[in-house]
């Protein structure tokens, strides 16, 4: 704010609004808006909110109109000697200069504080950027290592997949063999059941059961007194061969006995 500016600011720390209408002026050269002046100076003893000075005098606090009428301007200094008028004018100008100086100091203080905050924020930002760069570098390293691990897992997965496919092929082959053997056993079992259902002669040389053919039963004869005996009256050639296909000690002994007699 310069001397040419015609607007003052409220000196209340949390207000700082442009003054208009009425204002409260103190003997310590501070000015406040009508709202804060009415609230602060209604208590006794009155204390300046800007500098904490005690304002106990009758004229230490004045509520003035910032845009007086032309009649007021014509009568307020009328009848006063020129030196008094000049003294009043000098004090009014000093008040205005003080406000401008205080405003400049306040702006400079605000600027320095803002610059300090800006530097602090830049420092914090720089530290955060460095920290983020370190974290980013670390994460890039982790990503690279994870990519290597992933490639290793892919390779192992490919190997395991190939082994699994090979096992599946072996399993299918074994399954086919198992099915064929089971079918063969089922056929053999059916043949055994048919053999048990239709009994026949058993070939002891081949171990294969043969279906019995209807043969004439052998007729046994009694032994004569002279010892000349025949065990069978008649046997068909094929039936005798089938019945006496295997040899045994009892059979050989019988043959020797027949030849002797």
């Amino acid at each position: 704010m310069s001397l040419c500016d015609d607007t003052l600011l409220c000196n209340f720390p949390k207000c700082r609004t442009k003054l208009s209408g009425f204002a409260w002026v103190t003997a310590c050269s501070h000015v406040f808006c009508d709202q804060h002046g009415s609230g602060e100076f209604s208590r006794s003893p009155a204390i300046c909110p800007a500098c904490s000075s005690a304002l106990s005098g009758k004229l230490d606090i004045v509520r003035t109109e910032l845009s007086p009428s032309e009649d007021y301007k014509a009568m307020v200094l009328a009848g006063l000697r020129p030196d008094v008028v000049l003294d009043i004018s000098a004090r009014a100008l000093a008040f205005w200069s003080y406000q401008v100086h205080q405003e400049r100091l306040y702006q400079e203080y605000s600027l320095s504080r803002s610059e300090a905050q800006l530097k602090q924020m830049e420092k914090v930002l720089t530290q955060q950027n460095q920290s983020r760069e370190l974290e980013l570098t670390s994460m890039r390293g982790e990503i690279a290592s994870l990519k290597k691990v992933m490639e290793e897992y892919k390779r192992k997965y490919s190997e395991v997949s190939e082994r699994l496919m090979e096992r599946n092929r072996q399993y299918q082959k074994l399954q086919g063999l198992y099915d064929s053997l089971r079918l063969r056993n089922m056929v053999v079992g059916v043949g055994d059941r048919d053999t048990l259902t239709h009994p026949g002669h058993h070939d002891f040389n081949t171990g294969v059961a043969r279906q019995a053919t209807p043969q004439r039963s052998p007729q046994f004869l009694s032994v004569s007194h002279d010892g000349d005996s025949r065990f069978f009256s008649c046997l068909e050639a094929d039936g005798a061969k089938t019945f006496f296909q295997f040899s045994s000690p009892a059979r050989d002994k019988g043959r020797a006995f027949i030849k002797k007699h």
Side-chain angles (χ1 to χ4, degrees):
M1 184 174 60
S2 64
L3 291 174
C4 296
D5 294 335
D6 57 354
T7 303
L8 296 177
L9 301 178
C10 178
N11 296 158
F12 194 80
K14 295 182 180 181
C15 184
R16 305 289 304 167
T17 59
K18 293 182 178 181
L19 300 177
S20 62
F22 291 89
W24 293 77
V25 181
T26 62
C28 54
S29 299
H30 292 105
V31 62
F32 302 94
C33 63
D34 195 23
Q35 178 182 357
H36 289 97
S38 300
E40 293 293 330
F41 300 135
S42 61
R43 294 171 294 185
S44 182
I47 297 176
C48 178
C51 62
S52 301
S53 300
L55 303 172
S56 56
K58 183 179 179 180
L59 296 177
D60 287 347
I61 303 171
V62 176
R63 184 173 182 265
T64 183
E65 186 178 2
L66 298 179
S67 298
S69 62
E70 295 297 328
D71 294 337
Y72 178 81
K73 294 178 182 179
M75 298 302 296
V76 66
L77 295 178
L80 298 179
R81 295 194 306 270
D83 56 340
V84 175
V85 172
L86 292 175
D87 185 31
I88 294 173
S89 300
R91 293 187 182 189
L93 291 174
F95 177 86
W96 190 273
S97 299
Y98 177 79
Q99 284 293 317
V100 172
H101 178 69
Q102 292 297 319
E103 183 64 24
R104 184 175 62 82
L105 292 178
Y106 178 81
Q107 295 296 336
E108 290 177 354
Y109 168 74
S110 299
L111 178 61
S112 62
R113 187 176 63 178
S114 299
E115 290 177 350
Q117 292 178 354
L118 179 60
K119 291 180 180 180
Q120 183 67 23
M121 292 178 65
E122 289 178 351
K123 183 178 180 181
V124 172
L125 182 61
T126 302
Q127 293 176 354
Q128 290 180 352
N129 289 335
Q130 293 177 355
S131 178
R132 296 296 181 272
E133 288 293 334
L134 292 176
E135 292 179 359
L136 184 60
T137 304
S138 177
M139 292 178 66
R140 286 175 179 172
E142 292 180 0
I143 291 173
S145 62
L146 289 175
K147 285 183 178 180
K148 292 180 180 179
V149 173
M150 185 176 66
E151 293 296 331
E152 182 67 20
Y153 280 143
K154 285 183 178 179
R155 184 183 62 80
K156 291 182 179 180
Y157 173 77
S158 178
E159 294 178 357
V160 171
S161 298
E162 292 178 358
R163 293 179 183 177
L164 180 61
M165 293 175 63
E166 181 65 24
R167 295 295 187 275
N168 287 333
R169 288 193 292 269
Q170 295 178 1
Y171 171 76
Q172 295 295 333
K173 184 178 180 180
L174 292 175
Q175 186 69 29
L177 293 175
Y178 170 74
D179 292 338
S180 63
L181 290 175
R182 184 177 63 177
L183 182 60
R184 185 181 301 173
N185 291 333
M186 290 174 62
V187 172
V188 172
V190 171
D192 292 340
R193 285 197 298 271
D194 292 340
T195 303
L196 294 176
T197 305
H198 305 286
H201 296 292
H202 191 278
D203 192 348
F204 286 90
N205 292 329
T206 61
V208 179
R210 295 181 180 177
Q211 185 177 0
T213 58
Q215 300 290 341
R216 186 174 58 185
S217 301
Q219 297 180 358
F220 291 89
L221 298 178
S222 60
V223 181
S224 62
H225 296 284
D226 57 358
D228 188 4
S229 62
R230 293 292 183 269
F231 293 98
F232 304 97
S233 61
C234 63
L235 289 173
E236 293 182 1
D238 191 14
K241 182 178 180 181
T242 303
F243 186 81
F244 296 101
Q245 187 174 359
F246 62 92
S247 63
S248 63
R251 182 183 176 189
D252 295 339
K253 187 176 181 180
R255 286 182 179 177
F257 178 75
I258 292 173
K259 289 179 179 182
K260 184 177 181 180
H261 293 82

